Amino acid sequence: MASAVSGVTLPGLVANVSERHNSTLPHTWSNLHPYQANILGTVLAIAGNVLISISLNIQKYTHIRLLCQESQTPYYRSKLWWCGILLMGMGELGNFAAYGFAPATLVAPLGCVSVIASAAISVVFLKETLRSSDILGGSLAVLGAYLLVTFAINVQQEITALKISLYFISWPFLVYLALEFILFVILLYLYKKRGMNHIVILLLMSSILASLTVISVKAVSGMVTSSIQGQLQFQYPIFYVMFVIMITSCIFQVQFLNQAMRLYNATEVVPINFVFFTASAIIAEQRSTEKIQPGLNNNSYGTVNDEEQNNDSLSEDVK
């Protein structure tokens, strides 16, 4: 008799608690299934990457046209270049929204869309040569993205200012940040003082900044999502710190990427940048997941274990 009461009453109690919790949330957000959220994030990421590929080719076309002119004017004075930057901003905005719905391990590999789209655009409109190695590299990029999306742990986690603050002062993040800073200083020295404009150096610096961009974008978009769901995060200073890091890293990342587009073909820059960016994004997400997301055996941290403890206490009271 006790087991029957517990089997009927406990789900009712849990359902009542969840209904009271979700009553303050918008209807669309409270009923959004994780699978639907991943689909929405995927669509936003694909649309954003298509816009980014168009933007990169517009910037490349701007550099080509300026080189053909007699008076060498800076590229940042060209209206066409700013149109490309505007499209890039719209594409990055789509990626920003995608990170709010889906994990970085799902969004970042979808950058292969920009590889394929950029290759097609550069061959058709910029008259660049499509080599067999480009086709092989594009195919491998699509295959790698498929494997990453299929076998990665695509679990979306609730991100709050408290979790970001704990992650920010954790020793894995500090070590990771220190290593990135040292590597970036070395590459910047080779680029500025030694005059080494190799594509790998430029895109490595861009990918290092991209890892900070992924962390900050994931944090900001996650806190915005939590705020929309009813848990306001805008009063915490960490939100504005991550917002400044996001804007600053994006600006300098675009600068190095634009320098690579000026010196090399789009069919070379975009695939290499995709590989470096995806690797840095996954590493950054892995570092953040280890500290933000509670472990399976950790009973002192995370809301999941608190809910399990509450369910256990409710079941004991009913029995």
Side-chain angles (χ1 to χ4, degrees):
M1 185 69 180
S3 61
V5 173
S6 61
V8 175
T9 307
L10 182 57
L13 292 174
V14 175
N16 291 332
V17 172
S18 62
E19 288 178 0
R20 288 195 300 268
H21 176 70
N22 292 329
S23 60
T24 59
L25 303 182
H27 179 75
T28 303
W29 289 86
S30 60
N31 293 333
L32 193 62
H33 192 272
Y35 177 77
Q36 296 174 335
N38 286 342
I39 292 296
L40 181 58
T42 301
V43 172
L44 290 172
I46 292 175
N49 284 304
V50 170
L51 290 177
I52 290 174
S53 64
I54 297 174
S55 166
L56 292 175
N57 283 276
I58 289 177
Q59 295 178 51
K60 179 63 179 180
Y61 176 75
T62 303
H63 293 307
I64 295 175
R65 195 176 69 171
L66 290 176
L67 288 175
C68 297
Q69 297 178 357
E70 295 181 359
S71 58
Q72 297 295 326
T73 57
Y75 61 87
Y76 51 82
R77 292 185 180 180
S78 174
K79 294 181 180 179
L80 186 61
W81 184 82
W82 281 106
C83 290
I85 292 297
L86 179 61
L87 287 177
M88 176 171 285
M90 295 173 61
E92 293 296 345
L93 184 62
N95 282 331
F96 174 83
Y99 281 111
F101 291 98
T105 51
L106 176 61
V107 176
L110 293 175
C112 69
V113 175
S114 65
V115 176
I116 304 302
S118 180
I121 294 173
S122 60
V123 170
V124 174
F125 294 99
L126 298 182
K127 306 303 179 182
E128 294 185 2
T129 303
L130 185 63
R131 300 163 298 183
S132 58
S133 59
D134 297 329
I135 299 176
L136 177 60
S139 302
L140 292 177
V142 173
L143 178 60
Y146 170 77
L147 294 177
L148 286 173
V149 172
T150 303
F151 296 103
I153 303 177
N154 296 327
V155 178
Q156 183 69 315
Q157 52 188 339
E158 182 184 9
I159 297 178
T160 61
L162 178 59
K163 292 181 180 181
I164 296 297
S165 300
L166 293 175
Y167 162 61
F168 215 74
I169 60 176
S170 62
W171 70 265
F173 174 76
L174 295 178
V175 172
Y176 174 73
L177 188 62
L179 292 176
E180 281 207 333
F181 177 77
I182 294 173
L183 180 59
F184 183 80
V185 169
I186 294 174
L187 294 173
L188 188 62
Y189 171 79
L190 295 176
Y191 172 65
K192 292 291 186 180
K193 299 299 182 180
R194 298 291 183 177
M196 300 178 63
N197 293 330
H198 197 273
I199 185 173
V200 174
I201 293 178
L202 292 172
L203 295 182
L204 271 178
M205 288 190 293
S206 179
S207 64
I208 290 175
L209 294 172
S211 65
L212 296 178
T213 304
V214 169
I215 294 174
S216 56
V217 166
K218 186 66 178 177
V220 172
S221 60
M223 285 186 282
V224 170
T225 302
S226 298
S227 299
I228 294 176
Q229 291 177 343
Q231 304 178 18
L232 293 180
Q233 307 292 317
F234 302 129
Q235 70 271 24
Y236 298 101
I238 190 64
F239 174 82
Y240 302 96
V241 171
M242 300 306 292
F243 184 80
V244 171
I245 294 176
M246 179 184 68
I247 298 299
T248 305
S249 60
C250 282
I251 292 175
F252 287 99
Q253 178 187 348
V254 170
Q255 181 180 357
F256 291 117
L257 183 60
N258 190 77
Q259 181 68 9
M261 289 294 295
R262 187 177 68 88
L263 298 175
Y264 302 96
N265 292 332
T267 53
E268 297 174 339
V269 174
V270 177
I272 297 176
N273 182 67
F274 164 70
V275 173
F276 287 166
F277 171 77
T278 304
S280 63
I282 292 176
I283 293 173
E285 175 73 4
Q286 181 65 26
R287 296 281 78 78
S288 63
T289 303
E290 290 178 356
K291 298 305 293 183
I292 296 180
Q293 186 172 337
L296 295 176
N297 296 326
N298 188 358
N299 295 324
S300 61
Y301 182 74
T303 57
V304 175
N305 294 321
D306 294 337
E307 293 176 357
E308 291 177 354
Q309 292 177 358
N310 292 334
N311 291 338
D312 293 340
S313 63
L314 286 174
S315 61
E316 291 178 358
D317 294 338
V318 172
K319 290 180 180 181

